[in-house]
Amino acid sequence: QIDLPGGVAAKRTYDGIEIIRQTQSRAETGKAAPESDAAGKLELRFVENGDILQAEEIPQKSYTKWIDYDKIDGSLVIRSPQAEDFFYFNDKNCKFVKDYMVNEKIPKADREKQLLLADGSHMVYFLGRRISNYYKVTEDTRHILEITVTGG
C-alpha cells in the first residue's frame, strides 16, 4: 500500500490496484489508518493487438480506456495533478491539465483531489474523463493497456 495526496492510498490486490480513501491519514497518527472506505478499483489488462483491433472495438466508455502501451516512456504513476502536467488534446497541440480542469469547470477545491495516471509530466489518463491523444490506440498499435476504473 502507498499513500497518495488527498487522503487516498493505492493498494495492490490480486485483480489490480484498489484506490482507498482514508478517513485518517498516517501523518496524523504515525501509523496505518484504522478505517478506510473503498474509493474504487483500477484494473489494468495487457492485450496483444494481433490484428484484432478495429475502431468499433475500442471502448468508448468514460471508465474503460485503451492506450498504446509502447508509447509509455517511463513508469505509470497514479497521483493528483501537478502544475507542469500536460496532455495532447489532438495530434499536434498540447494543453496543461490545470487549464483542462478550469475549462471542465471542476471546482478549485476539488482539483487536487482528482487522480490521473501519468508518465512523468505527461498525463496518460485523467481517471474517469479522458486520455491524452498521444497514447490513443491506432492501427499501428502493437500492445494495448486496457484501464478500467470501477467503484468510488
Side-chain angles (χ1 to χ4, degrees):
Q1 179 172 317
I2 185 168
D3 291 330
L4 300 170
V8 175
K11 181 179 176 182
R12 185 176 178 190
T13 67
Y14 289 109
D15 298 330
I17 299 171
E18 186 174 352
I19 306 298
I20 300 167
R21 184 174 299 117
Q22 297 181 331
T23 56
Q24 189 175 11
S25 73
R26 286 184 187 193
E28 293 171 355
T29 63
K31 58 183 177 182
E35 298 176 31
S36 61
D37 41 289
K41 186 185 287 186
L42 184 71
E43 297 176 19
L44 306 173
R45 185 172 69 108
F46 187 74
V47 179
E48 292 279 345
N49 187 4
D51 295 328
I52 62 165
L53 180 63
Q54 295 179 8
E56 60 269 13
E57 293 179 22
I58 298 173
Q60 299 300 316
K61 301 174 188 170
S62 62
Y63 290 95
T64 298
K65 299 294 184 190
W66 281 10
I67 64 167
D68 188 329
Y69 180 80
D70 296 320
K71 290 184 178 178
I72 298 169
D73 289 330
S75 57
L76 297 177
V77 177
I78 300 170
R79 59 174 173 74
S80 58
Q82 298 174 354
E84 66 275 3
D85 289 338
F86 69 95
F87 68 98
Y88 284 87
F89 65 93
N90 60 32
D91 290 336
K92 296 181 182 182
N93 299 312
C94 67
K95 182 178 227 174
F96 285 106
V97 172
K98 179 182 176 183
D99 295 338
Y100 172 75
M101 290 190 292
V102 170
N103 291 343
E104 290 294 306
K105 298 183 170 105
I106 297 172
K108 190 172 186 176
D110 294 339
R111 292 179 197 159
E112 70 180 31
K113 297 175 189 172
Q114 302 297 310
L115 292 176
L116 54 86
L117 188 63
D119 182 11
S121 293
H122 193 159
M123 178 207 76
V124 176
Y125 177 33
F126 195 113
L127 299 184
R129 293 182 183 264
R130 68 164 298 147
I131 65 170
S132 175
N133 222 47
Y134 174 80
Y135 297 98
K136 195 176 200 178
V137 172
T138 68
E139 61 275 352
D140 297 325
T141 300
R142 293 187 348 242
H143 303 100
I144 298 167
L145 183 63
E146 181 184 77
I147 305 166
T148 304
V149 179
T150 59

